[in-house]
Amino acid sequence: MTKHKKQKLRKGPKAAIVVMIVIVAVMALWHYGSLEYLLDNSALHGKLTTRHVRQYRPTIKKYTKRCGISKFEPVVEAIMMQETKGYGTDPMQASESALNTYYSKNPNSIQDPKYSVRVGVEHFADCLKAAGCTSPSQRAKLMLALQGYNFGNNYVQWALKRYGGYSEANAKVFSERMKAQLHWSAYGDPSYAKKVMAYYDYNRIPRRQNSSKK
């Protein structure tokens, strides 16, 4: 046997061990949800609604109907996509809402995902009412309500009184104002409404149209 062939034989078992390690690592990541989380947040999915969000559709439907905002089911899904992509026990990030009366108002305190959806939908319904938005087609009013979901209803009233509605520029002004008032290093996300609408716009287009753009 030549020296070259002996080297090939030695490399064989090592290669097999590496392959086995990779397989085990992938299986472990999948089992604990880490791989799925990475895939959901990757360019492979873009802004496509994750199955973790889709699993809450019956709950979203229940509470949007109860609140009289059934037309906004896809918008609620888009909010959840921006907040958590459906992961965790507080998928709507509603712990700090004034409507959360069961858990503490500390971040991520809600431990019941369905309760999170309920509080989130109720909070969003209040934002829509304050913004005078009755249909997703009222884009300017919808953007105002969405930014209110992130900042709180005080923003909606403030923006209407001072500027007549939402803009990313006045959202930045409000954020800076609240940071100074509360002595915080950050306050909300001035680009929140735009980010949610990106999910909404992407997912309301039929799947075939989405895939044809890729």
Side-chain angles (χ1 to χ4, degrees):
M1 186 181 290
T2 66
K3 186 178 180 182
H4 182 65
K5 286 184 178 179
K6 283 181 180 179
Q7 287 177 340
K8 278 190 173 181
L9 286 174
R10 288 191 194 118
K11 287 181 181 179
K14 289 182 181 179
I17 291 170
V18 170
V19 171
M20 286 180 65
I21 290 171
V22 170
I23 291 171
V24 170
V26 169
M27 289 177 68
L29 284 169
W30 184 264
H31 177 73
Y32 290 104
S34 301
L35 179 62
E36 197 169 2
Y37 179 82
L38 290 172
L39 290 175
D40 278 344
N41 287 274
S42 73
L44 295 175
H45 280 74
K47 293 189 177 297
L48 189 64
T49 301
T50 65
R51 73 174 184 85
H52 289 82
V53 171
R54 294 195 298 273
Q55 73 179 337
Y56 290 113
R57 281 178 175 171
T59 308
I60 291 171
K61 185 179 182 68
K62 174 183 176 180
Y63 290 115
T64 51
K65 184 177 181 181
R66 181 181 292 184
C67 292
I69 59 168
S70 293
K71 296 176 184 177
F72 294 89
E73 287 178 32
V75 183
V76 174
E77 287 188 26
I79 291 173
M80 190 183 291
M81 280 293 295
Q82 175 59 27
E83 293 289 354
T84 63
K85 291 186 171 59
Y87 287 88
T89 59
D90 186 12
M92 292 293 286
Q93 291 292 282
S95 292
E96 296 172 79
S97 170
L99 297 174
N100 168 26
T101 57
Y102 188 77
Y103 295 91
S104 77
K105 290 182 172 56
N106 295 320
N108 298 305
S109 66
I110 291 178
Q111 298 300 305
D112 179 354
K114 290 184 178 179
Y115 179 74
S116 173
V117 174
R118 172 188 158 186
V119 175
V121 169
E122 289 174 352
H123 174 46
F124 183 49
D126 282 353
C127 293
L128 289 169
K129 184 177 180 180
C133 184
T134 58
S135 167
S137 64
Q138 296 173 311
R139 196 174 184 90
K141 292 181 178 180
L142 179 56
M143 296 279 278
L144 178 63
L146 287 170
Q147 196 61 52
Y149 186 91
N150 181 248
F151 280 162
N153 263 341
N154 287 341
Y155 166 76
V156 176
Q157 301 299 335
W158 177 87
L160 284 171
K161 184 178 180 180
R162 295 198 173 210
Y163 299 94
Y166 163 85
S167 72
E168 190 172 350
N170 72 44
K172 289 177 181 176
V173 172
F174 186 83
S175 178
E176 291 298 322
R177 177 174 177 268
M178 293 305 295
K179 278 166 56 178
Q181 183 177 316
L182 298 169
H183 304 289
W184 290 358
S185 60
Y187 186 90
D189 179 1
S191 302
Y192 184 83
K194 185 171 69 174
K195 290 174 181 177
V196 173
M197 289 304 292
Y199 284 113
Y200 174 70
D201 288 337
Y202 185 89
N203 284 285
R204 69 176 177 162
I205 299 170
R207 182 71 63 82
R208 279 186 299 179
Q209 285 182 253
N210 277 335
S211 59
S212 67
K213 289 183 179 181
K214 295 179 181 179

